[in-house]
Amino acid sequence: MITVVSGDLEKAKAEMKQKAQGYKNAEKALRKLHKKDKLIPAHVQTKLDNLVRLQKIYSASWVVPVKVGGIIINYKVLQAYLKKLKKFNLKIAVSDDRLTLTYKQDQKGYIELYDMSKYFHDFKHIPSAVIDDGSKA
C-alpha cells in the first residue's frame, strides 16, 4: 500500500498545532468583538465558520498530512480506507491534484483524496511516502 519513508509525523503535528492555535486565537478575538451583538452579521459569521474549518484542517485528530509524489494528502483518511478495503484488489494512482484508490471485488469503486498542498505550503516537516511496490508515487 503506502508507507511513510521519511520525515517526522510528530514535527508535522507540532507545526499543525501551532497553526491551529493561531486560528483559535483569531476566532476568540472575533467572537469577543461581537459578544454584545444579539445577531452576528453574516460576513462575520462566514469568517467564524472559516476559522473553525481551518482549525479542523490543522487538528491532528482529523488530518495527518503526508506528501505522496507532488501532492499532500490526508494520511489518516487514507489509512482508514485501506483498512476497510484490505480484502479488495486495489490500484493506487497519483495525478496532478489527487490520489485515486480503485478497488474491485464483488463491487467496484474508487476513492479520490484531493491535494491539500494549499493548506500546508509553508510547513517544513511534512513526511514523505511511497507506494509499497517500491516506486515513488
Side-chain angles (χ1 to χ4, degrees), residues 2 4 6-17 19 56-68 71-78 114-129:
I2 292 183
V4 176
S6 68
D8 187 2
L9 288 173
E10 294 307 314
K11 287 182 181 178
K13 287 179 183 179
E15 279 185 285
M16 289 172 57
K17 185 176 182 179
K19 192 112 174 179
K56 285 185 180 179
I57 287 173
Y58 295 113
S59 170
S61 63
W62 289 79
V63 177
V64 175
V66 172
K67 187 171 190 165
V68 179
I71 65 171
I72 295 174
I73 59 161
N74 185 348
Y75 190 66
K76 190 167 212 126
V77 170
L78 177 66
Y114 289 94
D115 186 13
M116 298 181 75
S117 295
K118 67 181 179 181
Y119 300 109
F120 298 100
H121 62 86
D122 58 342
F123 279 50
K124 293 174 178 57
H125 303 289
I126 300 290
S128 296

Side-chain angles (χ1 to χ4, degrees), residues 22-35 44 48 51:
Y23 288 121
K24 189 172 190 164
N25 291 341
E27 178 196 4
K28 283 182 182 179
L30 197 54
R31 286 193 190 278
K32 190 174 183 179
L33 280 175
H34 294 282
K35 189 174 186 175
V44 174
L48 285 170
L51 289 170

Side-chain angles (χ1 to χ4, degrees), residues 30 34 37-50:
L30 197 54
H34 294 282
D37 295 344
K38 289 186 180 184
L39 208 65
I40 297 175
H43 71 282
V44 174
Q45 186 61 49
T46 302
K47 287 181 183 178
L48 285 170
D49 293 343
N50 192 36

